[in-house]
Amino acid sequence: MKLTIVNPWPFHNHLLIGTTEDATGHRHSFSGVTGPAIELPKCSELGHVHEIYITHCSFLCMHSHIIKGITGPPLWVSEREHYHRITGFTLPCLANGHCHDFSGVTKSVYSAGCD
């Protein structure tokens, strides 16, 4: 029998933190917040993801980048606590068009439940 953890807190957001990969000799850090949970089809057994709202990277080398994307599915720490990995690409820099890969994690969310 396979244990499927149902999202005990469907209306929640996560804080997110991460860094970009090196591009043209520099990298950026970022932080932000996700949107609410987006439930995936039940047949996928993956649970939910979150949209990464527009987040700006640190201002370095006279420019910044915008990050927008989708988290991965939840990684459960316990039956009531989970976090998500985030990966993707920044939007291009207006000065010279370069981009960065980025990665990081969301802060875990703990659902105290209503029992």
Side-chain angles (χ1 to χ4, degrees):
M1 171 188 259
K2 184 175 181 179
L3 174 66
T4 303
I5 299 175
V6 178
N7 183 7
W9 196 0
F11 305 105
H12 68 279
N13 300 69
H14 294 267
L15 297 177
L16 56 98
I17 55 172
T19 59
T20 67
E21 297 297 319
D22 191 280
T24 65
H26 69 281
R27 59 179 65 213
H28 299 269
S29 59
F30 60 88
S31 62
V33 67
T34 67
I38 301 167
E39 293 297 324
L40 297 173
K42 295 218 183 286
C43 61
S44 73
E45 297 185 357
L46 293 176
H48 68 280
V49 294
H50 296 266
E51 179 181 3
I52 298 171
Y53 285 171
I54 295 174
T55 300
H56 291 269
C57 293
S58 59
F59 188 77
L60 186 64
C61 301
M62 300 304 292
H63 73 278
S64 183
H65 293 270
I66 295 174
I67 289 177
K68 189 166 172 54
I70 299 287
T71 69
L75 299 167
W76 291 92
V77 177
S78 70
E79 288 186 11
R80 293 182 178 244
E81 186 176 4
H82 72 279
Y83 67 97
H84 300 264
R85 290 180 199 246
I86 54 175
T87 58
F89 299 91
T90 65
L91 296 181
C93 168
L94 296 177
N96 63 10
H98 77 277
C99 297
H100 296 266
D101 294 340
F102 68 84
S103 62
V105 296
T106 66
K107 183 176 181 336
S108 64
V109 166
Y110 175 78
S111 171
C114 297
D115 17 70

